[in-house]
Amino acid sequence: MRVQVAIIGAGPAGLMLGRLLELAGIDAVIIERRSADYVLGRIRAGVLEQGTVDLMDRALAGTRMHAEGLVHHGIELGFDGDRHRIDFSALVGSQVMVYGQTEVTRDLMALRQAPTIYEAEDVELHDFDGKPWVTYRKDGVTHRIDCAVIAGCDGFHGVSRHSVPEQSLTTFERVYPFGWLGVLTDRPPVAHELIYAHHERGFALCSQRSLTRSRYYIQVPADEQVGAWSDARFWDELRARLAPETAEAMQIGPSIEKSVAPLRSFVAEPLRFGQLFLAGDAAHIVPPTGAKGLNLAMSDVATLADALIEHFTEGSPAALDGYSSHVLGRIWKAERFSWWMTSLLHTFPETGPFGRRIQRAEFDYLTGSLAAQQSLAENYVGLPL
Ligand code: RFL
Ligand code: PHB
């Protein structure tokens, strides 16, 4: 097979890139290691920035999102039971959309006409400094795809970044000593908006997927086993970290999904190696506290799609040449914001009582300063593309 673009990975980044290229008449195949059902079964992000909403519309994929997604005009921050609302609309005149990553993925999958090869084993990238090609094995047979460009959209553990010689890549990383234990339940959310809470027992987040489905998270040690957490233990711990009136109002139910996600900050530089381009979690990871991972993946592929369209339709390499430095500027701002939200809201045993006093001062400064709230709001709703 010969195509213009071989996309590795059918997560939101790969599917959105595939869709934007398809609409522009550029020939692209997606090669994915897992089955479509497996990809749809992963419960991940829940908050879309306006830029991501706009991109879904550009991809002509926004109909169900606008019908079923929930527009949120703010979030609540909690600190040891004290509560403060950040009003995005009043502070920066923008908002976010609560619509699950699973639904974004489902909508993009449903629209796709061009081939996606699921359950492709042993995907390998060849010759991306010259004339690139990709091989994979399916049902015991090895296949070859020749292409002009490879887009590595295969997440943090994917093969694309790992195919780059170590000396060509600089990586920056912080691994946090904790993770998030998440529970999904078919009960109405405890509040209309998301609640991010700092407590001396650890961070807690009350999120949602719809008016009848809630998503809750608590900070746990990085090596925590899900099996150690019965539903009852989870609900008790979550409620202990929230303001009493919130804990009391919470409707609890059986969990329909429960998992631990590690927290990490990571950036690889650069994002172009010959004809290979990295985008999304393959290029960077943020801790989920700022709700930036999916949105950053989407802004990478929006830029990459435009650059590829310019390359293939006008023969101009300028935008592709600028891709890496262009997106890295935005990536580092999202890294900074996610690190800052994480630092404010989690407990860090190693920083001791001094660290907690600094966190309290940061919270008090934030709740007393419109400028500080505006900065939070501006970053949370998403910096311009
Ligand atoms: P993905 O989603 O990891 O998709 C990569 C795809 O590549 C496939 N793959 C391979 N295919 C072929 N060959 C190989 N060798 C391959 N190796 C891997 C994988 O099977 C997969 O299908 O990366 P992508 O597309 O870059 O998307 C990134 C987002 O998934 C991620 O950033 C977000 O989920 C992060 N995130 C959040 N982001 C937000 O913007 N808002 C949020 O509210 C938010 N909440 C979260 C999150 C991530 C979480 N976890 C579990 C890490 C909450 C959590 C708990
Ligand atoms: C989620 O609903 O999964 C979610 C929401 C906000 C975050 C992280 C995760 O910051």
Side-chain angles (χ1 to χ4, degrees), residues 6-186:
I7 300 171
I8 317 296
L15 286 165
M16 178 56 86
L17 180 62
R19 177 67 182 159
L20 296 173
L21 295 180
E22 188 168 53
L23 288 172
I26 292 167
D27 181 21
V29 65
I30 302 182
I31 305 147
E32 163 63 48
R33 187 162 62 121
R34 304 287 191 174
S35 68
D37 283 346
Y38 183 96
V39 171
L40 285 173
R42 290 191 295 231
I43 308 295
R44 288 185 170 177
V47 178
L48 308 184
E49 296 173 357
Q50 186 59 42
T52 302
V53 170
D54 293 343
L55 196 63
M56 287 289 280
D57 287 334
R58 174 179 160 191
L60 308 178
T63 310
R64 198 164 66 93
M65 174 188 70
H66 287 293
E68 297 177 16
L70 305 170
V71 175
H72 279 199
H73 296 277
I75 53 170
E76 182 178 305
L77 293 183
F79 202 101
D80 292 344
D82 293 341
R83 305 168 56 186
H84 186 87
R85 180 165 185 263
I86 304 289
D87 185 335
F88 301 148
S89 300
L91 289 160
V92 292
S94 192
Q95 64 288 312
V96 293
M97 169 89 83
V98 169
Y99 189 66
Q101 176 168 334
T102 311
E103 308 313 316
V104 169
T105 307
R106 193 187 306 281
D107 294 344
L108 290 168
M109 270 184 186
L111 286 167
R112 191 168 164 75
Q113 306 282 321
T116 307
I117 298 151
Y118 286 101
E119 298 178 299
E121 295 172 67
D122 299 334
V123 175
E124 285 182 38
L125 283 52
H126 309 268
D127 249 350
F128 45 79
D129 275 330
K131 289 193 156 114
W133 45 292
V134 176
T135 53
Y136 64 93
R137 208 157 42 79
K138 173 120 181 154
D139 302 325
V141 181
T142 299
H143 300 263
R144 170 177 173 144
I145 299 176
D146 289 281
C147 53
V149 167
I150 302 176
C153 302
D154 48 351
F156 184 65
H157 298 288
V159 64
S160 300
R161 193 183 69 253
H162 290 112
S163 305
V164 174
E166 221 168 277
Q167 67 274 15
S168 307
L169 198 68
T170 307
T171 60
F172 304 84
E173 185 169 39
R174 164 170 294 195
V175 178
Y176 299 87
F178 44 75
W180 283 13
L181 172 63
V183 158
L184 192 67
T185 186
D186 275 325

